[in-house]
Amino acid sequence: MRIDLHCHSTASDGTDTPAELVRNAAAAGLDVVALTDHDTTRGYAEAVAALPAGLTLVTGAELSCRLDGVSMHMLAYLFDPEEPALFAERELVRDDRVPRAQGMVAKLRELGVPITWEQVARIAGDGSVGRPHVATALVELGVVPTVNDAFTGDWLADGARAYVPKHETDPFEALRLIKGAGGVAVFAHPAASKRGRTVPESAIAELAAAGLDGIEVDHMDHEPATRARLRGLAAELGLLATGSSDYHGSRKTCVLGEYTTDPEVYGEITRRATGAFPVPGAGGAGSGAGAGAGTRADV
Ligand code: AMP
Ligand code: ZN
Ligand code: FE
Ligand code: FE
């Protein structure tokens, strides 16, 4: 069983449509793939409809959080996408992403970059707009060679010249919301220090005491020594340890299934979830049941 529990589509800042993502996941030999777009469930229906036989879809989202001024991401799996409180919080974060991206465009223009909001809006399409879309505009303009090169102190890294913060949820509140919607919570890339400041281990312990289910251990932004330390911390705190690619299509270098989650850990996630069930691919015209078909979706 090959299980990849963290992937993005065009519903946020990935470059595969949800349909392309599930097809590519099957082609990559995955048995289970999670769709975890930033602050949105809008890709679910398309992914379910295109799900190939033999691939199971785990519905989820990556929620933008902030603790003591440090941005962090919380993966939420198999929650009820219609549960009103979590629905409203996702909407709040997504809505704030638009003026925030416009603010980054304004800062870049002050720095002499001829970027426009129209360009960023075109790149983002109907996905929740984020820094990777602004970074893609900078690549198009020849300001930086790659998306990664835009995440520096000169441009878009946390606190950089053109950075603007967005509304981010307190992670303890996020845990309450995820649990209230029947979901399972996994702290994404908790020690990805090249992205900016990370939270201390004491905070992970507090989150564990508040109901956190797991931490993402095997991730491209964690060095081998970091993974070993996090694996030990997970064991100590009784947390599940997951692994995943954080696939973003062509916007990042990682490939589907680059890191995977142990089947026993996956089984425990599905046992804990009460908000939604994994959707087995029927192949062809869509499997009908499960999260996606006919539900009130994020826009
Ligand atoms: P946003 O949610 O708009 O603040 O953008 C955050 C996203 O930007 C993350 O999910 C990553 O996809 C990407 N990102 C953040 N830091 C970096 C980095 N140092 N290098 C490349 N991508 C990054
Ligand atoms: Zn992203
Ligand atoms: Fe993330
Ligand atoms: Fe991610």
Side-chain angles (χ1 to χ4, degrees), residues 175-188:
L175 287 178
R176 281 190 290 275
L177 291 168
I178 293 165
K179 300 285 153 169
V184 176
V186 174
F187 186 170

Side-chain angles (χ1 to χ4, degrees), residues 72-218:
M72 52 169 284
H73 293 168
M74 189 72 79
L75 290 161
Y77 296 116
L78 299 172
F79 56 87
D80 173 1
E82 299 192 58
E83 189 284 319
L86 182 54
F87 187 101
E89 184 63 20
R90 291 194 302 278
E91 193 164 47
L92 191 66
V93 177
R94 279 199 313 282
D95 285 353
D96 194 53
R97 283 175 167 278
V98 174
R100 179 262 196 153
Q102 290 167 334
M104 291 193 283
V105 167
K107 283 195 168 187
L108 287 164
R109 291 184 66 85
E110 279 169 28
L111 291 166
V113 177
I115 189 172
T116 64
W117 168 242
E118 287 67 32
Q119 184 189 8
V120 174
R122 168 180 58 76
I123 292 165
D126 55 17
S128 43
V129 63
R131 282 182 286 168
H133 300 120
V134 180
T136 297
L138 293 179
V139 173
E140 283 184 3
L141 292 165
V143 175
V144 292
T146 72
V147 165
N148 268 355
D149 291 301
F151 285 88
T152 65
D154 278 344
W155 305 112
L156 298 175
D158 289 3
R161 295 189 300 174
Y163 175 74
V164 176
K166 63 179 180 298
H167 172 77
E168 295 173 318
T169 309
D170 174 273
F172 293 93
E173 173 67 5
L175 287 178
R176 281 190 290 275
L177 291 168
I178 293 165
K179 300 285 153 169
V184 176
V186 174
F187 186 170
H189 46 75
S193 50
K194 60 183 138 182
R195 292 181 182 213
R197 287 169 60 209
T198 57
V199 305
E201 285 190 6
S202 57
I204 299 178
E206 286 168 27
L207 290 164
L212 180 69
D213 292 285
I215 56 176
E216 196 176 47
V217 169
D218 293 312

